[in-house]
Amino acid sequence: MITQYTYGTPIETFAVVSDVPEGNQLPYFSQVSDSPLTFQTQLGTNDIVYGLGETMHGINKRGYRYISFNYDDPCHTDEMPSMYGSHNLIVVDGSTVFGAFFDTPSRVVFDVDSTGDGILSVCCEQPGLRLYLIEGTDAYDVVRQFLGIIGRSFLPPLWAFGYGQSRWGYKTEKEIGRVVYHHQKEEIPIDYLCMDIDYMDRYIDFTVNPKRFPDLARFTAEMREQGLHLVPIVDAGIKVEPGNRVYEEGVQNHYFCTNREGTNFQAAVWPGMTHFPDFFRASVRAWFGRQYKFYTDMGLDGFWNDMNEPAIFFTEYRKQNDKPDLARGDPEQPTRHIADFKDFFHCLEDGARVSNYQVHNLYGGLMTRASSEGLDQLLDKRYLLFSRSSYIGAHRYGGIWTGDNASTWKMLRQNVYHMPSLNMCGFLFSGADTGGFNGNTNRELLLRWLAVSAFTPLMRNHTSLGTRKQECYRFKTPADFRSLISLRYRLLPYLYSEYMKAALRQDMLIRPLAFDFPRTERVRLIEDQLLIGESLMIAPVLEKGAEGRTVFLPAPMTEVRWNGVDFLCEEAEAGERLISVPLNEVVFYIRKGTLLPVARCTPNNTAELDLTDVELLGTGTKYCQYRDDGYTKDCTLENCVNLKKESGTGSPMGE
Ligand code: MIG
């Protein structure tokens, strides 16, 4: 049961799409202040608090403070209170079970018992709030109800589930061609190559550097012939420059955010001074969305949106070398120029002028929405789209990646923690920069990371300018890397199917163990094993130098060892077990009574993948597989086909 409580005059956030009845007496919380609106609840000693999507720390958010305020901070330390997206859902699971979604576009501080007195307090800084209170039988039930009111997830094409290679710094068509060549030479499957800001003419959106990519349409077509897609980046800011058509159209039609004086606001980002499109208005979104025609005309059908918190280097008011302004800024975010967001303004649909600060967390998600609605018009098939910044609701328009992590074991672990939390907030299509963005990766870390990413919908190797080369073939024994990426492709019939089913049912794909198994104390504390879809449990190795790990099975399961060639299955009892996992192998588990459809051989890319030629692993007898051509917009559960296991082996099955 979901009930909403309205405080003041909330600004429309587009997060919830269903009608939810109004309540009059808010349960569980006491409101301890009107201004700022602050709510408190007392947690039981062993209560777990789930949710909060893209935030640091574990799956249980208890013990720390978090601030919803989208920000580009490439230093993901434990102390970092906010990341690129704001996902204001919490789910309390313990003596009482309930969820609460604080739907407000500005800054929210969640103190999830950081003092140890069991108090969870939520402080919404700006007036105007819709609080959705969700009551259910358990945490999973609460989350499913929540997913039910925020609308269906973005549905990417099949190729978006392939392996992607990226790097900030691929400068030319030749360089990308070489990366492709080496993957092919080492027989490492790959589906797409991301093009970072280097492809643009002086970092200007909707342009291509003609020296580096003399004919991008031709290059795109050549890549497609080899089964590969190119995925260009698009930044939020539009370069201020006479002759830049997008800039001129935006100025003429008053499509940009304005400054204190009421003229177009200027902020420096990669191209120099830019204006920010005012995505809060439908007319602006439609105009921005139409710009993607520049790319779709060249045959491109995948995009990533960056810098849309928005990220700002400096502004027309704050010079490049100004020190962070502690007095105006936030003492908890001392190195940040939070005040910049008070210096520019949006014109909402109803004509109201509000500072970005008041509606800050919506900006990135609205850029995704603009891109997605434009691409829906431009393409008659599904496309890949993922964004850095987001708010709940944006999951209907695209995926997200978790931004500038680092090549450290801690960040690998954070990737594991992020996935279920993001799923709870609707973001099914997500993943981290595999191998790590900042800093230098190494063979062991990259291999272990691939063994995690092999199970996340977005599986992209990406790294920063100036770091060591991070493509798989750069490291000793490419066959070891081939093994892990092969696993991904062999699992695709299952992963794609489970993604589509979860999205269409408005359910989670990646879940904590406690969502499915009896919530014993032991199960509730497990954060380094995850459920992926209906049948599969992973237990990745997350420690440097480890030759394996301890796994806890909450029930008997089939243990599967992928050795690069075969799936070796063995029945395993419930309880704790020690497994050895060489760097080029993966051990995962299939739940009793369920089946896992896997491809019979490893394709070079998804264009060569036959979703109908599968082998069924596991002890179940039936599996319902989602199948389509991988592109069609006609996505319904009717595309599910029932597979039956023939007795004994996993040999061909009837439908
Ligand atoms: O200021 O486009 O998170 O993935 O490679 C850095 C360059 C801008 C940040 C993104 C990262 C991307 C980088 N961008």
PDB file of all heavy atoms in Angstrom, residues 72 84 167-168 196-197 233 235 270 304 306-307 313 388 401 403-404 433 437 460 462-465, ligand 1:
ATOM      1  N   ASP A  72      29.663  16.366  -9.559  1.00  0.00           N
ATOM      2  CA  ASP A  72      30.768  15.713 -10.260  1.00  0.00           C
ATOM      3  C   ASP A  72      32.012  15.810  -9.394  1.00  0.00           C
ATOM      4  O   ASP A  72      32.691  16.823  -9.394  1.00  0.00           O
ATOM      5  CB  ASP A  72      30.988  16.409 -11.608  1.00  0.00           C
ATOM      6  CG  ASP A  72      32.304  15.994 -12.261  1.00  0.00           C
ATOM      7  OD1 ASP A  72      32.807  14.901 -11.949  1.00  0.00           O
ATOM      8  OD2 ASP A  72      32.812  16.764 -13.100  1.00  0.00           O
ATOM      9  N   TYR A  84      26.659  11.404  -8.489  1.00  0.00           N
ATOM     10  CA  TYR A  84      26.117  12.086  -9.683  1.00  0.00           C
ATOM     11  C   TYR A  84      24.599  12.056  -9.739  1.00  0.00           C
ATOM     12  O   TYR A  84      23.984  12.826 -10.458  1.00  0.00           O
ATOM     13  CB  TYR A  84      26.674  11.431 -10.943  1.00  0.00           C
ATOM     14  CG  TYR A  84      28.169  11.250 -10.898  1.00  0.00           C
ATOM     15  CD1 TYR A  84      28.747  10.096 -10.377  1.00  0.00           C
ATOM     16  CD2 TYR A  84      29.018  12.260 -11.340  1.00  0.00           C
ATOM     17  CE1 TYR A  84      30.116   9.940 -10.322  1.00  0.00           C
ATOM     18  CE2 TYR A  84      30.390  12.107 -11.286  1.00  0.00           C
ATOM     19  CZ  TYR A  84      30.936  10.944 -10.770  1.00  0.00           C
ATOM     20  OH  TYR A  84      32.298  10.796 -10.710  1.00  0.00           O
ATOM     21  N   ARG A 167      37.713   4.642 -23.807  1.00  0.00           N
ATOM     22  CA  ARG A 167      38.830   5.303 -23.160  1.00  0.00           C
ATOM     23  C   ARG A 167      38.726   6.786 -23.483  1.00  0.00           C
ATOM     24  O   ARG A 167      38.468   7.157 -24.630  1.00  0.00           O
ATOM     25  CB  ARG A 167      40.173   4.789 -23.700  1.00  0.00           C
ATOM     26  CG  ARG A 167      41.344   5.530 -23.099  1.00  0.00           C
ATOM     27  CD  ARG A 167      42.691   5.144 -23.669  1.00  0.00           C
ATOM     28  NE  ARG A 167      43.694   5.831 -22.871  1.00  0.00           N
ATOM     29  CZ  ARG A 167      44.199   5.362 -21.744  1.00  0.00           C
ATOM     30  NH1 ARG A 167      43.862   4.170 -21.323  1.00  0.00           N
ATOM     31  NH2 ARG A 167      45.037   6.074 -21.043  1.00  0.00           N
ATOM     32  N   TRP A 168      38.917   7.605 -22.476  1.00  0.00           N
ATOM     33  CA  TRP A 168      39.053   9.043 -22.732  1.00  0.00           C
ATOM     34  C   TRP A 168      40.443   9.192 -23.351  1.00  0.00           C
ATOM     35  O   TRP A 168      41.443   8.882 -22.711  1.00  0.00           O
ATOM     36  CB  TRP A 168      38.937   9.796 -21.418  1.00  0.00           C
ATOM     37  CG  TRP A 168      39.067  11.280 -21.538  1.00  0.00           C
ATOM     38  CD1 TRP A 168      39.137  12.036 -22.677  1.00  0.00           C
ATOM     39  CD2 TRP A 168      39.139  12.195 -20.446  1.00  0.00           C
ATOM     40  NE1 TRP A 168      39.225  13.359 -22.377  1.00  0.00           N
ATOM     41  CE2 TRP A 168      39.232  13.493 -21.002  1.00  0.00           C
ATOM     42  CE3 TRP A 168      39.120  12.059 -19.059  1.00  0.00           C
ATOM     43  CZ2 TRP A 168      39.320  14.642 -20.208  1.00  0.00           C
ATOM     44  CZ3 TRP A 168      39.204  13.193 -18.275  1.00  0.00           C
ATOM     45  CH2 TRP A 168      39.305  14.467 -18.841  1.00  0.00           C
ATOM     46  N   ASP A 196      34.810   9.286 -26.729  1.00  0.00           N
ATOM     47  CA  ASP A 196      34.792  10.327 -25.698  1.00  0.00           C
ATOM     48  C   ASP A 196      34.922  11.699 -26.379  1.00  0.00           C
ATOM     49  O   ASP A 196      34.968  11.779 -27.619  1.00  0.00           O
ATOM     50  CB  ASP A 196      35.921  10.054 -24.686  1.00  0.00           C
ATOM     51  CG  ASP A 196      35.588  10.561 -23.287  1.00  0.00           C
ATOM     52  OD1 ASP A 196      35.045  11.681 -23.172  1.00  0.00           O
ATOM     53  OD2 ASP A 196      35.888   9.864 -22.300  1.00  0.00           O
ATOM     54  N   ILE A 197      35.011  12.742 -25.595  1.00  0.00           N
ATOM     55  CA  ILE A 197      34.988  14.118 -26.131  1.00  0.00           C
ATOM     56  C   ILE A 197      36.040  14.398 -27.215  1.00  0.00           C
ATOM     57  O   ILE A 197      35.918  15.382 -27.937  1.00  0.00           O
ATOM     58  CB  ILE A 197      35.156  15.165 -25.005  1.00  0.00           C
ATOM     59  CG1 ILE A 197      36.358  14.845 -24.107  1.00  0.00           C
ATOM     60  CG2 ILE A 197      33.884  15.228 -24.168  1.00  0.00           C
ATOM     61  CD1 ILE A 197      36.649  15.919 -23.065  1.00  0.00           C
ATOM     62  N   ILE A 233      29.860  10.444 -27.031  1.00  0.00           N
ATOM     63  CA  ILE A 233      29.479  11.144 -25.808  1.00  0.00           C
ATOM     64  C   ILE A 233      28.807  12.464 -26.198  1.00  0.00           C
ATOM     65  O   ILE A 233      29.119  13.046 -27.247  1.00  0.00           O
ATOM     66  CB  ILE A 233      30.734  11.406 -24.933  1.00  0.00           C
ATOM     67  CG1 ILE A 233      30.387  11.777 -23.483  1.00  0.00           C
ATOM     68  CG2 ILE A 233      31.616  12.502 -25.549  1.00  0.00           C
ATOM     69  CD1 ILE A 233      31.616  11.786 -22.558  1.00  0.00           C
ATOM     70  N   ASP A 235      27.852  16.119 -24.152  1.00  0.00           N
ATOM     71  CA  ASP A 235      27.917  16.873 -22.899  1.00  0.00           C
ATOM     72  C   ASP A 235      26.731  17.836 -22.786  1.00  0.00           C
ATOM     73  O   ASP A 235      26.088  18.156 -23.781  1.00  0.00           O
ATOM     74  CB  ASP A 235      29.232  17.648 -22.812  1.00  0.00           C
ATOM     75  CG  ASP A 235      30.404  16.734 -22.423  1.00  0.00           C
ATOM     76  OD1 ASP A 235      30.184  15.530 -22.211  1.00  0.00           O
ATOM     77  OD2 ASP A 235      31.534  17.246 -22.325  1.00  0.00           O
ATOM     78  N   TRP A 270      34.195  21.815 -20.938  1.00  0.00           N
ATOM     79  CA  TRP A 270      35.228  21.434 -21.909  1.00  0.00           C
ATOM     80  C   TRP A 270      35.357  22.350 -23.124  1.00  0.00           C
ATOM     81  O   TRP A 270      36.472  22.693 -23.518  1.00  0.00           O
ATOM     82  CB  TRP A 270      35.040  19.967 -22.345  1.00  0.00           C
ATOM     83  CG  TRP A 270      35.403  19.069 -21.221  1.00  0.00           C
ATOM     84  CD1 TRP A 270      34.548  18.335 -20.455  1.00  0.00           C
ATOM     85  CD2 TRP A 270      36.697  18.864 -20.666  1.00  0.00           C
ATOM     86  NE1 TRP A 270      35.239  17.679 -19.464  1.00  0.00           N
ATOM     87  CE2 TRP A 270      36.556  17.987 -19.579  1.00  0.00           C
ATOM     88  CE3 TRP A 270      37.974  19.341 -20.980  1.00  0.00           C
ATOM     89  CZ2 TRP A 270      37.636  17.563 -18.802  1.00  0.00           C
ATOM     90  CZ3 TRP A 270      39.049  18.921 -20.212  1.00  0.00           C
ATOM     91  CH2 TRP A 270      38.868  18.047 -19.143  1.00  0.00           C
ATOM     92  N   TRP A 304      26.167   8.329 -24.831  1.00  0.00           N
ATOM     93  CA  TRP A 304      26.267   8.548 -23.383  1.00  0.00           C
ATOM     94  C   TRP A 304      26.281  10.039 -23.122  1.00  0.00           C
ATOM     95  O   TRP A 304      26.952  10.807 -23.822  1.00  0.00           O
ATOM     96  CB  TRP A 304      27.436   7.818 -22.744  1.00  0.00           C
ATOM     97  CG  TRP A 304      28.808   7.887 -23.370  1.00  0.00           C
ATOM     98  CD1 TRP A 304      29.127   7.756 -24.688  1.00  0.00           C
ATOM     99  CD2 TRP A 304      30.060   8.072 -22.675  1.00  0.00           C
ATOM    100  NE1 TRP A 304      30.492   7.836 -24.859  1.00  0.00           N
ATOM    101  CE2 TRP A 304      31.090   8.030 -23.642  1.00  0.00           C
ATOM    102  CE3 TRP A 304      30.396   8.254 -21.337  1.00  0.00           C
ATOM    103  CZ2 TRP A 304      32.449   8.174 -23.305  1.00  0.00           C
ATOM    104  CZ3 TRP A 304      31.739   8.394 -21.013  1.00  0.00           C
ATOM    105  CH2 TRP A 304      32.751   8.352 -21.983  1.00  0.00           C
ATOM    106  N   ASP A 306      27.074  13.137 -20.624  1.00  0.00           N
ATOM    107  CA  ASP A 306      28.007  13.415 -19.527  1.00  0.00           C
ATOM    108  C   ASP A 306      27.867  14.872 -19.063  1.00  0.00           C
ATOM    109  O   ASP A 306      27.209  15.685 -19.715  1.00  0.00           O
ATOM    110  CB  ASP A 306      29.437  13.148 -20.040  1.00  0.00           C
ATOM    111  CG  ASP A 306      30.477  13.159 -18.912  1.00  0.00           C
ATOM    112  OD1 ASP A 306      30.104  13.012 -17.733  1.00  0.00           O
ATOM    113  OD2 ASP A 306      31.672  13.321 -19.228  1.00  0.00           O
ATOM    114  N   MET A 307      28.477  15.168 -17.925  1.00  0.00           N
ATOM    115  CA  MET A 307      28.616  16.525 -17.390  1.00  0.00           C
ATOM    116  C   MET A 307      27.267  17.172 -17.088  1.00  0.00           C
ATOM    117  O   MET A 307      27.122  18.382 -17.077  1.00  0.00           O
ATOM    118  CB  MET A 307      29.403  17.414 -18.372  1.00  0.00           C
ATOM    119  CG  MET A 307      30.753  16.856 -18.796  1.00  0.00           C
ATOM    120  SD  MET A 307      31.881  16.546 -17.406  1.00  0.00           S
ATOM    121  CE  MET A 307      32.703  18.128 -17.261  1.00  0.00           C
ATOM    122  N   PHE A 313      33.292  24.094 -14.457  1.00  0.00           N
ATOM    123  CA  PHE A 313      34.681  24.391 -14.073  1.00  0.00           C
ATOM    124  C   PHE A 313      34.749  25.752 -13.369  1.00  0.00           C
ATOM    125  O   PHE A 313      35.330  25.910 -12.331  1.00  0.00           O
ATOM    126  CB  PHE A 313      35.603  24.388 -15.293  1.00  0.00           C
ATOM    127  CG  PHE A 313      35.698  23.044 -15.980  1.00  0.00           C
ATOM    128  CD1 PHE A 313      36.232  22.947 -17.265  1.00  0.00           C
ATOM    129  CD2 PHE A 313      35.261  21.883 -15.361  1.00  0.00           C
ATOM    130  CE1 PHE A 313      36.334  21.719 -17.893  1.00  0.00           C
ATOM    131  CE2 PHE A 313      35.358  20.649 -15.988  1.00  0.00           C
ATOM    132  CZ  PHE A 313      35.891  20.574 -17.267  1.00  0.00           C
ATOM    133  N   ARG A 388      25.296  10.172 -16.910  1.00  0.00           N
ATOM    134  CA  ARG A 388      26.002  10.185 -15.643  1.00  0.00           C
ATOM    135  C   ARG A 388      25.072  10.657 -14.524  1.00  0.00           C
ATOM    136  O   ARG A 388      24.930  10.012 -13.509  1.00  0.00           O
ATOM    137  CB  ARG A 388      27.254  11.066 -15.712  1.00  0.00           C
ATOM    138  CG  ARG A 388      28.164  10.786 -14.526  1.00  0.00           C
ATOM    139  CD  ARG A 388      29.518  11.439 -14.673  1.00  0.00           C
ATOM    140  NE  ARG A 388      29.436  12.884 -14.609  1.00  0.00           N
ATOM    141  CZ  ARG A 388      30.503  13.687 -14.686  1.00  0.00           C
ATOM    142  NH1 ARG A 388      31.712  13.179 -14.863  1.00  0.00           N
ATOM    143  NH2 ARG A 388      30.361  14.989 -14.619  1.00  0.00           N
ATOM    144  N   TRP A 401      25.714   5.190 -15.716  1.00  0.00           N
ATOM    145  CA  TRP A 401      26.909   4.527 -15.224  1.00  0.00           C
ATOM    146  C   TRP A 401      27.351   5.296 -13.997  1.00  0.00           C
ATOM    147  O   TRP A 401      26.897   6.417 -13.768  1.00  0.00           O
ATOM    148  CB  TRP A 401      27.981   4.414 -16.314  1.00  0.00           C
ATOM    149  CG  TRP A 401      29.000   5.502 -16.411  1.00  0.00           C
ATOM    150  CD1 TRP A 401      30.288   5.456 -15.935  1.00  0.00           C
ATOM    151  CD2 TRP A 401      28.861   6.783 -17.048  1.00  0.00           C
ATOM    152  NE1 TRP A 401      30.942   6.628 -16.244  1.00  0.00           N
ATOM    153  CE2 TRP A 401      30.100   7.459 -16.916  1.00  0.00           C
ATOM    154  CE3 TRP A 401      27.804   7.435 -17.710  1.00  0.00           C
ATOM    155  CZ2 TRP A 401      30.317   8.744 -17.422  1.00  0.00           C
ATOM    156  CZ3 TRP A 401      28.022   8.716 -18.209  1.00  0.00           C
ATOM    157  CH2 TRP A 401      29.258   9.335 -18.065  1.00  0.00           C
ATOM    158  N   GLY A 403      30.039   6.710 -12.950  1.00  0.00           N
ATOM    159  CA  GLY A 403      30.968   7.826 -12.982  1.00  0.00           C
ATOM    160  C   GLY A 403      32.416   7.455 -12.742  1.00  0.00           C
ATOM    161  O   GLY A 403      32.833   6.301 -12.903  1.00  0.00           O
ATOM    162  N   ASP A 404      33.148   8.474 -12.295  1.00  0.00           N
ATOM    163  CA  ASP A 404      34.610   8.368 -12.265  1.00  0.00           C
ATOM    164  C   ASP A 404      35.123   7.624 -11.040  1.00  0.00           C
ATOM    165  O   ASP A 404      35.678   8.217 -10.112  1.00  0.00           O
ATOM    166  CB  ASP A 404      35.227   9.765 -12.326  1.00  0.00           C
ATOM    167  CG  ASP A 404      34.841  10.475 -13.613  1.00  0.00           C
ATOM    168  OD1 ASP A 404      34.344   9.806 -14.543  1.00  0.00           O
ATOM    169  OD2 ASP A 404      35.020  11.704 -13.681  1.00  0.00           O
ATOM    170  N   ASP A 433      32.636   1.767 -14.509  1.00  0.00           N
ATOM    171  CA  ASP A 433      33.784   1.718 -15.409  1.00  0.00           C
ATOM    172  C   ASP A 433      34.625   0.503 -15.020  1.00  0.00           C
ATOM    173  O   ASP A 433      35.319   0.497 -14.004  1.00  0.00           O
ATOM    174  CB  ASP A 433      34.623   2.993 -15.285  1.00  0.00           C
ATOM    175  CG  ASP A 433      33.943   4.187 -15.934  1.00  0.00           C
ATOM    176  OD1 ASP A 433      32.903   3.998 -16.600  1.00  0.00           O
ATOM    177  OD2 ASP A 433      34.455   5.314 -15.775  1.00  0.00           O
ATOM    178  N   PHE A 437      38.330   3.958 -13.548  1.00  0.00           N
ATOM    179  CA  PHE A 437      38.537   5.155 -14.383  1.00  0.00           C
ATOM    180  C   PHE A 437      39.837   5.861 -14.010  1.00  0.00           C
ATOM    181  O   PHE A 437      40.778   5.921 -14.793  1.00  0.00           O
ATOM    182  CB  PHE A 437      37.331   6.083 -14.233  1.00  0.00           C
ATOM    183  CG  PHE A 437      37.422   7.355 -15.037  1.00  0.00           C
ATOM    184  CD1 PHE A 437      37.196   7.340 -16.404  1.00  0.00           C
ATOM    185  CD2 PHE A 437      37.713   8.565 -14.417  1.00  0.00           C
ATOM    186  CE1 PHE A 437      37.279   8.515 -17.156  1.00  0.00           C
ATOM    187  CE2 PHE A 437      37.787   9.743 -15.160  1.00  0.00           C
ATOM    188  CZ  PHE A 437      37.566   9.717 -16.534  1.00  0.00           C
ATOM    189  N   ARG A 460      31.206  -2.217 -19.547  1.00  0.00           N
ATOM    190  CA  ARG A 460      32.069  -1.343 -20.346  1.00  0.00           C
ATOM    191  C   ARG A 460      33.399  -1.120 -19.648  1.00  0.00           C
ATOM    192  O   ARG A 460      33.443  -0.708 -18.489  1.00  0.00           O
ATOM    193  CB  ARG A 460      31.376   0.001 -20.570  1.00  0.00           C
ATOM    194  CG  ARG A 460      32.215   0.969 -21.394  1.00  0.00           C
ATOM    195  CD  ARG A 460      31.502   2.289 -21.604  1.00  0.00           C
ATOM    196  NE  ARG A 460      31.478   3.109 -20.402  1.00  0.00           N
ATOM    197  CZ  ARG A 460      31.663   4.428 -20.365  1.00  0.00           C
ATOM    198  NH1 ARG A 460      31.865   5.096 -21.502  1.00  0.00           N
ATOM    199  NH2 ARG A 460      31.617   5.095 -19.230  1.00  0.00           N
ATOM    200  N   HIS A 462      36.289   1.252 -19.239  1.00  0.00           N
ATOM    201  CA  HIS A 462      36.524   2.683 -19.517  1.00  0.00           C
ATOM    202  C   HIS A 462      37.583   3.216 -18.567  1.00  0.00           C
ATOM    203  O   HIS A 462      37.659   2.799 -17.408  1.00  0.00           O
ATOM    204  CB  HIS A 462      35.225   3.470 -19.341  1.00  0.00           C
ATOM    205  CG  HIS A 462      35.359   4.952 -19.610  1.00  0.00           C
ATOM    206  ND1 HIS A 462      35.906   5.449 -20.779  1.00  0.00           N
ATOM    207  CD2 HIS A 462      35.008   6.038 -18.880  1.00  0.00           C
ATOM    208  CE1 HIS A 462      35.882   6.786 -20.733  1.00  0.00           C
ATOM    209  NE2 HIS A 462      35.342   7.166 -19.590  1.00  0.00           N
ATOM    210  N   THR A 463      38.410   4.109 -19.049  1.00  0.00           N
ATOM    211  CA  THR A 463      39.437   4.691 -18.198  1.00  0.00           C
ATOM    212  C   THR A 463      39.736   6.122 -18.615  1.00  0.00           C
ATOM    213  O   THR A 463      39.325   6.568 -19.676  1.00  0.00           O
ATOM    214  CB  THR A 463      40.729   3.824 -18.199  1.00  0.00           C
ATOM    215  OG1 THR A 463      41.654   4.360 -17.256  1.00  0.00           O
ATOM    216  CG2 THR A 463      41.370   3.795 -19.572  1.00  0.00           C
ATOM    217  N   SER A 464      40.459   6.809 -17.744  1.00  0.00           N
ATOM    218  CA  SER A 464      40.699   8.236 -17.948  1.00  0.00           C
ATOM    219  C   SER A 464      41.914   8.499 -18.829  1.00  0.00           C
ATOM    220  O   SER A 464      42.790   7.648 -18.994  1.00  0.00           O
ATOM    221  CB  SER A 464      40.896   8.915 -16.592  1.00  0.00           C
ATOM    222  OG  SER A 464      41.077  10.301 -16.764  1.00  0.00           O
ATOM    223  N   LEU A 465      41.937   9.699 -19.332  1.00  0.00           N
ATOM    224  CA  LEU A 465      43.098  10.246 -20.025  1.00  0.00           C
ATOM    225  C   LEU A 465      44.319  10.107 -19.103  1.00  0.00           C
ATOM    226  O   LEU A 465      44.223  10.382 -17.909  1.00  0.00           O
ATOM    227  CB  LEU A 465      42.800  11.734 -20.241  1.00  0.00           C
ATOM    228  CG  LEU A 465      43.607  12.552 -21.213  1.00  0.00           C
ATOM    229  CD1 LEU A 465      43.319  12.094 -22.638  1.00  0.00           C
ATOM    230  CD2 LEU A 465      43.211  14.027 -21.076  1.00  0.00           C
TER     231      LEU A 465
HETATM  232  O1  MIG B   1      35.708  16.141 -16.822  1.00  0.00           O
HETATM  233  O2  MIG B   1      34.746  13.233 -21.224  1.00  0.00           O
HETATM  234  O3  MIG B   1      32.751  10.739 -16.181  1.00  0.00           O
HETATM  235  O4  MIG B   1      33.716   9.083 -18.215  1.00  0.00           O
HETATM  236  O5  MIG B   1      35.781  10.090 -19.816  1.00  0.00           O
HETATM  237  C1  MIG B   1      35.752  14.813 -17.232  1.00  0.00           C
HETATM  238  C2  MIG B   1      35.805  12.945 -20.369  1.00  0.00           C
HETATM  239  C3  MIG B   1      34.709  14.571 -18.272  1.00  0.00           C
HETATM  240  C4  MIG B   1      33.824  12.609 -17.180  1.00  0.00           C
HETATM  241  C5  MIG B   1      33.229  11.255 -17.393  1.00  0.00           C
HETATM  242  C6  MIG B   1      34.266  10.351 -17.989  1.00  0.00           C
HETATM  243  C7  MIG B   1      34.769  10.935 -19.292  1.00  0.00           C
HETATM  244  C8  MIG B   1      35.337  12.330 -19.060  1.00  0.00           C
HETATM  245  N1  MIG B   1      34.312  13.181 -18.425  1.00  0.00           N
END
